[in-house]
Amino acid sequence: MVLDLSLKEIITKSIRYAEKFCKQDDVKNIIDDLAKILENGIKEIAYQSIPGHSLEHILRVLSLSLAISCFEGGDRITIALAAILHDIARFKEEEDKSIDHAKLSAMIAKKVLSNSKFSNLAEKVAKIIEEHRFKNREKPTSIESAILQDADRLDALGFIGVARVFAYGGYRGRSVYESFKHFHEKILNLPNLMNTRTGKIIAKKRVERIILFLKETQKEIILEDLKDILAL
């Protein structure tokens, strides 16, 4: 799977990253369950990876969500379940633009969780996933939903966000300059859409990295950087 690791191994790594901010014992105790649920979700919809919206993204959102919960609260098990399934149907939207991947992912999550030990959380997790999509601009109805929205948007910021823009742009056949437009049309506005105090703090720093990247790239395009390089 991701980086040639098993689902259990990559989920374990994702949780470990979040442990830099608080203990994650409750989530660590269900690692086997999380791996099985993600596996079942993958099988249920015959999951296909899309550059920029791959399993790597899903697992970074898991780490971010759990880290944010250290400061904002919320039920971490619910957050973890929502994070690992939030984009499970993302590729379907590429096949048919009439499909809302958030709603379809919510349906898959509800079905998978209803047949698991977390059946009591199926409805809530589905609701959280349905609310996460940027394009829909849904207001979160719970702290867990607010955290997932923030984590998903934070993964579009910073240097990893830059990499994702160009990975997805290449997949869609966009030129480099067309991909630059995406930063101004969407990415740079994300800090204004954060829900939690923690999300806003992180977004402010990560968007500064994107602004720096855009500024330095523009210098290269017009050869302004050569002045410093050649000491002119």
Side-chain angles (χ1 to χ4, degrees):
M1 301 302 295
V2 182
L3 302 178
D4 296 322
L5 299 176
S6 69
L7 290 178
K8 180 178 178 179
E9 287 173 323
I10 55 178
I11 288 173
T12 300
K13 281 180 173 289
S14 298
I15 294 170
R16 190 178 301 142
Y17 299 150
E19 279 196 304
K20 295 174 183 177
F21 307 99
C22 69
K23 290 184 177 180
Q24 302 284 341
D25 292 344
D26 46 353
V27 184
K28 285 168 66 177
N29 289 335
I30 61 165
I31 286 176
D32 287 335
D33 299 305
L34 291 173
K36 186 62 178 177
I37 286 166
L38 180 53
E39 180 183 359
N40 289 343
I42 288 170
K43 290 179 179 177
E44 180 65 30
I45 199 166
Y47 176 83
Q48 296 177 28
S49 183
I50 295 174
H53 297 276
S54 58
L55 279 177
E56 286 95 337
H57 162 67
I58 288 174
L59 291 158
R60 285 193 303 271
V61 170
L62 172 62
S63 295
L64 282 163
S65 296
L66 293 176
I68 293 170
S69 75
C70 291
F71 303 94
E72 302 292 338
D75 179 66
R76 276 196 292 269
I77 291 177
T78 299
I79 291 168
L81 292 169
I84 63 171
L85 294 171
H86 83 279
D87 258 3
I88 202 71
R90 179 62 180 80
F91 74 99
K92 288 291 187 181
E93 196 168 302
E94 296 298 318
E95 299 174 348
D96 182 351
K97 290 302 182 183
S98 69
I99 292 176
D100 182 329
H101 80 272
K103 290 182 179 179
L104 183 54
S105 294
M107 288 174 57
I108 297 298
K110 186 175 180 180
K111 183 174 182 180
V112 169
L113 292 176
S114 293
N115 294 312
S116 75
K117 65 190 285 186
F118 304 104
S119 57
N120 61 312
L121 295 175
E123 291 279 356
K124 183 173 183 179
V125 170
K127 179 66 172 172
I128 292 168
I129 292 174
E130 190 171 338
E131 292 175 346
H132 92 273
R133 191 182 187 212
F134 168 81
K135 191 174 181 179
N136 293 349
R137 302 294 180 95
E138 296 232 20
K139 293 205 176 285
T141 56
S142 65
I143 183 59
E144 293 85 1
S145 182
I147 288 172
L148 181 66
Q149 280 191 8
D150 283 4
D152 189 46
R153 293 166 183 174
L154 285 170
D155 197 52
L157 293 170
F159 295 130
I160 196 69
V162 171
R164 287 183 65 204
V165 166
F166 289 106
Y168 184 65
Y171 168 75
R172 291 296 302 275
R174 296 172 181 163
S175 71
V176 170
Y177 294 134
E178 285 175 320
S179 291
F180 279 128
K181 289 182 181 179
H182 188 62
F183 289 107
H184 295 283
E185 292 171 352
K186 174 183 176 181
I187 305 300
L188 294 178
N189 295 318
L190 291 177
N192 298 324
L193 300 175
M194 293 295 150
N195 301 294
T196 67
R197 178 179 178 275
T198 305
K200 291 174 183 177
I201 292 171
I202 300 170
K204 183 177 183 293
K205 184 63 178 179
R206 287 196 172 187
V207 81
E208 288 175 358
R209 295 170 185 164
I210 289 185
I211 292 170
L212 175 63
F213 165 79
L214 294 174
K215 179 180 177 181
E216 293 302 315
T217 303
Q218 179 62 23
K219 284 184 179 180
E220 292 182 0
I221 291 171
I222 63 174
L223 305 186
E224 187 69 26
D225 64 316
L226 297 191
K227 290 184 178 180
D228 293 330
I229 295 172
L230 301 175
L232 295 177

